């Protein structure tokens, strides 16, 4: 007889259906796993054997074959332990043969029979619900699985024995409850920053419209400090966004104790990050920082210090909102719609923009150009807001702390985001669309300026030689400025301010 147990294989954040088939037939003692398993899956045999013996079940002295179907889908990870062990248990009569029929199963086994946490339980649970199945997952992942909906039947045992007892009816398990991670401390507040009104305003605009932002200024001006305060003003997550973001964190193994986080991601990779760390891939496909920042912020401090090739690998996800990774025999796609926030010094000495300062390596302009050349034009071209952050003056530093902090700014940001959500939902786009991510054709329509504004942009287009992309970018930022003012129409003031954020020098376009 062949026992079948439903489980999954992950392709990106997609859970694909996999069938574990277990057959025990008379013959030489043998235990084989076939069906394109990777090393972790092949090692499953040893863990399954150990866990069964620890649970008081000996493997029969027969020929055991486990087939993972479909055979052409690569199987990675350690979550096949549990479906294999349960298949064997059903085949030897340790649990009723029909007990597993309505369930999708995943989990890793310890040698003592405990069921340990695995990655990807949330997408597996959502996939199981879509297939009309229940889910058996490790105890620690139960709260995560419970997010897939109240109708989903979730069993989250801590050991094989607990599960066997549940099936026998001697110890029935309760359904786990969905959990939200308690916020780890309060976020740093904008009120800590003295002066820098222009930079704070830019931060608020970036948070409101989802625009990419670059701070350029001397060391110690407070660029890193400003960026670290962005999470405190980002708009709250919608339930849909919470699930989308958590699926990626689940696959990457970033969820602690199965609890979801309702904070928007803010990822800050170090400038020594490799391409695999930033965009994903490498050994055992995993989402990179760009995907972990999906729906939130990717902050790159000291931008020119990143390897240029690594930076350029971000251009594709910035355009398409997803990362595509080619593997040996298949392709994996992860969502990666992030907002880029970057900070840099104007030159290697850091002071090229300071009045009266002369760079050691020759003219300031050349020093700055050499340093800036590490960032490619096309990447720079995708940054809507480029702000110069001057050094804070002593006069600013001795001022009392500003009256307004993150709470006031966050309220304005949330209102501006809500206006965008309503507008784009009315055009049939997802409510999480922002002015920065809205299609170019639609932004022309929803940000069409009044007569005075149109006249301004016509003159600016000539004098600044605005490219088509530059034109749309200006409209996007102007639309956000109008949303912050609560105005239905983009006016001249909005366009004028938007144009001022384009930076003094236009980069060489790609
Ligand atoms: N505007 C400011 N208000 C208060 N403190 C500031 C300000 N700018 C800088 N500082 C102080 O200087 C330190 C360095 O700031 P930082 O953000 O690391 O500068 P940068 O990243 O521009 O080199 C901060 O930790 C803070 O103590
Ligand atoms: Mg810094």
């Amino acid at each position: 007889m062949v026992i079948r147990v439903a489980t999954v294989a992950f392709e990106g954040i997609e859970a694909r259906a996999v069938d574990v088939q277990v057959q025990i037939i008379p013959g030489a003692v043998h235990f084989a796993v076939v069906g394109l398993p990777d090393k972790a899956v092949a090692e499953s045999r040893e863990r399954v054997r150990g866990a069964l013996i620890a649970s008081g079940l000996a493997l029969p002295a027969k020929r055991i074959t486990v087939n993972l179907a479909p055979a052409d889908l690569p199987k990675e990870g350690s979550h096949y332990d549990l479906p294999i062990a349960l298949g064997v248990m059903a085949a030897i009569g340790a649990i009723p043969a029909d007990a597993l029929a309505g369930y999708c199963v995943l989990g890793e086994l310890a040698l003592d029979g405990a069921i340990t946490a695995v990655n990807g339980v949330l997408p597996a649970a959502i996939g199981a619900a879509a297939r009309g199945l229940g889910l058996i997952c490790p105890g620690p992942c139960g709260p995560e699985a419970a997010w897939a909906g109240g109708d989903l039947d979730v069993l989250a045992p801590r050991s094989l024995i607990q599960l066997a007892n549940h099936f026998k009816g001697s110890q029935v398990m309760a359904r786990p409850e969905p959990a939200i991670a308690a916020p780890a401390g309060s976020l740093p507040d904008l009120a800590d920053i003295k002066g820098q009104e222009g930079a704070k305003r830019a931060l608020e605009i970036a948070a409101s419209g989802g625009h990419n932002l670059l701070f350029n200024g001397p060391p110690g001006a407070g660029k890193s400090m400003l960026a670290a305060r962005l999470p405190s003003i980002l708009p709250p997550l919608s339930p849909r966004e919470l699930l989308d973001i958590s699926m990626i964190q689940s696959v990457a193994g970033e969820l602690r104790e199965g609890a979801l986080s309702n904070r928007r991601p803010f990822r800050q990779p170090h400038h020594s990050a490799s391409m695999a760390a930033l965009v994903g891939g490498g050994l055992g496909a995993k989402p990179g920082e760009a995907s972990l920042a999906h729906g939130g912020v990717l902050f790159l401090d000291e931008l020119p210090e990143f390897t240029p090739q690594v930076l350029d690998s971000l251009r594709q996800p910035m355009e398409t909102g997803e990362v595509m990774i080619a593997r040996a025999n298949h392709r994996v796609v992860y969502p990666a719609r992030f907002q880029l926030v970057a900070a840099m010094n104007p030159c290697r000495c850091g002071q090229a923009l300071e009045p009266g300062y002369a760079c050691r390596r020759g003219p300031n302009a050349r020093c700055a150009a050499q340093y800036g050349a590490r960032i490619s034009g096309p990447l720079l071209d995708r940054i809507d807001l480029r702000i110069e952050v001057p050094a804070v003056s002593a006069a600013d530093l001795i001022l009392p702390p500003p009256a307004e902090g993150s709470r006031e700014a966050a309220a304005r940001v949330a209102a501006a985001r809500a206006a965008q959500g309503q507008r784009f939902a009315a055009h049939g786009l997802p409510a999480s669309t922002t002015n920065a991510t809205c299609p170019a054709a639609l932004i022309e329509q929803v940000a069409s300026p009044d007569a005075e504004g149109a006249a301004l942009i016509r003159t600016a287009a000539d004098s600044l030689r605005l490219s088509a992309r530059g034109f749309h970018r200006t409209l996007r930022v102007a639309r956000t400025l109008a949303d912050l003012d609560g105005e239905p129409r983009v006016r001249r003031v909005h366009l004028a301010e938007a144009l001022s954020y384009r930076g003094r020098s236009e980069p060489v376009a790609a």
Side-chain angles (χ1 to χ4, degrees):
M1 183 174 73
V2 176
I3 300 286
R4 288 165 187 270
V5 185
T7 184
V8 291
F10 296 103
E11 264 189 343
I13 57 166
E14 226 73 61
R16 301 250 176 270
V18 167
D19 215 15
V20 175
Q21 303 161 359
V22 181
Q23 189 180 41
I24 303 186
I25 49 174
V29 178
H30 185 69
F31 187 3
V33 178
V34 298
L36 215 60
D38 82 342
K39 203 157 181 312
V41 182
E43 285 172 350
S44 224
R45 281 183 314 185
E46 301 307 321
R47 289 190 298 267
V48 168
R49 199 196 310 265
L52 288 178
I53 291 173
S55 310
L57 299 166
L59 284 182
K62 288 184 179 171
R63 190 180 177 83
I64 305 175
T65 308
V66 174
N67 180 33
L68 307 175
D72 59 350
L73 191 66
K75 322 289 185 313
E76 286 178 352
S78 54
H79 65 268
Y80 297 100
D81 293 3
L82 187 58
I84 293 174
L86 293 184
V88 172
M89 283 165 78
I92 61 176
I95 52 174
D98 59 352
L100 303 169
Y103 289 103
C104 173
V105 184
L106 78 170
E108 184 181 321
L109 288 175
L111 292 181
D112 62 357
I115 302 172
T116 51
V118 290
N119 298 345
V121 168
L122 182 62
I126 290 175
R131 286 158 66 193
L133 296 175
L135 188 82
I136 302 179
C137 70
C141 303
E144 188 182 327
W147 277 98
D151 303 337
L152 182 74
D153 180 10
V154 181
L155 294 180
R158 298 204 167 255
S159 67
L160 283 180
I161 294 179
Q162 193 187 2
L163 186 63
N165 286 343
H166 175 85
F167 284 138
K168 271 191 248 152
S170 60
Q171 182 198 12
V172 174
M173 281 183 287
R175 186 180 192 276
E177 291 296 321
I180 279 277
S186 59
L187 296 167
D189 197 286
L190 270 185
D192 303 337
I193 297 174
K194 308 222 173 116
Q196 303 298 24
E197 295 306 328
K200 282 199 234 176
R201 164 102 175 139
L203 207 58
E204 191 174 319
I205 298 166
S208 301
H211 304 286
N212 299 329
L213 168 70
L214 172 65
F215 286 132
N216 186 350
K223 305 182 296 292
S224 306
M225 200 179 171
L226 279 157
R229 277 146 187 82
L230 180 56
S232 67
I233 61 169
L234 286 176
L237 286 176
S238 69
R240 175 77 244 168
E241 285 177 305
L242 175 71
L243 274 189
D244 284 349
I245 291 168
S246 301
M247 298 246 264
I248 302 170
Q249 290 169 344
S250 174
V251 170
E254 296 262 330
L255 293 178
R256 297 275 154 265
E257 287 294 310
L260 272 49
S261 163
N262 60 0
R263 273 189 187 162
R264 237 168 238 282
F266 183 84
R267 305 292 301 193
Q268 187 175 354
H270 186 254
H271 56 70
S272 63
S274 66
M275 198 176 293
L278 208 58
V279 295
L283 217 62
K286 272 208 163 185
E289 292 292 334
S291 295
L292 289 168
H294 178 73
V297 175
L298 181 67
F299 174 46
L300 303 182
D301 207 354
E302 309 295 353
L303 188 67
E305 303 291 341
F306 281 79
T307 317
Q309 287 86 341
V310 172
L311 281 187
D312 275 337
S313 67
L314 289 176
R315 274 160 53 188
Q316 180 230 349
M318 284 171 81
E319 209 63 43
T320 60
E322 51 187 32
V323 169
M324 199 184 293
I325 303 162
R327 309 271 296 156
N329 48 4
H330 64 298
R331 253 182 2 193
V332 183
V333 177
Y334 292 110
R337 191 167 295 291
F338 56 85
Q339 174 181 5
L340 180 73
V341 174
M344 65 183 281
N345 295 337
C347 68
R348 199 163 283 287
C349 355
Q351 312 283 351
L353 299 177
E354 291 305 285
Y357 180 90
C359 289
R360 265 179 296 124
R361 299 155 199 260
N364 288 16
R366 196 171 80 200
C367 190
Q370 271 176 2
Y371 195 53
R374 292 181 58 85
I375 307 163
S376 73
L379 178 70
L380 210 52
D381 205 34
R382 288 171 172 75
I383 301 184
D384 293 349
L385 302 165
R386 277 173 255 152
I387 313 294
E388 274 172 27
V389 185
V392 252
S393 66
D396 276 338
L397 283 178
I398 54 172
L399 286 176
E404 236 191 31
S406 292
R407 209 155 63 91
E408 291 79 4
R412 290 191 294 265
V413 169
R417 265 296 168 107
Q420 293 167 58
Q422 272 177 14
R423 175 184 324 122
F424 293 125
H427 284 90
L429 292 169
S432 60
T433 310
T434 57
N435 290 332
T437 58
C438 138
L442 185 58
I443 202 76
E444 277 182 23
Q445 189 187 330
V446 299
S448 79
D450 60 6
E452 276 181 60
L456 173 73
I457 197 136
R458 214 170 296 125
T459 352
D462 287 342
S463 59
L464 296 173
R465 275 186 282 155
L466 218 54
S467 67
R469 192 190 272 151
F471 173 69
H472 286 134
R473 212 166 55 197
T474 308
L475 285 187
R476 289 177 197 282
V477 176
R479 183 61 260 177
T480 300
L481 293 169
D483 286 333
L484 272 168
D485 283 348
E487 294 194 23
R489 195 77 196 266
V490 168
R491 292 190 295 115
R492 189 177 195 278
V493 278
H494 304 133
L495 282 163
E497 187 176 348
L499 284 167
S500 75
Y501 293 129
R502 294 176 42 74
R504 279 196 300 218
S505 55
E506 234 345 63
V508 218

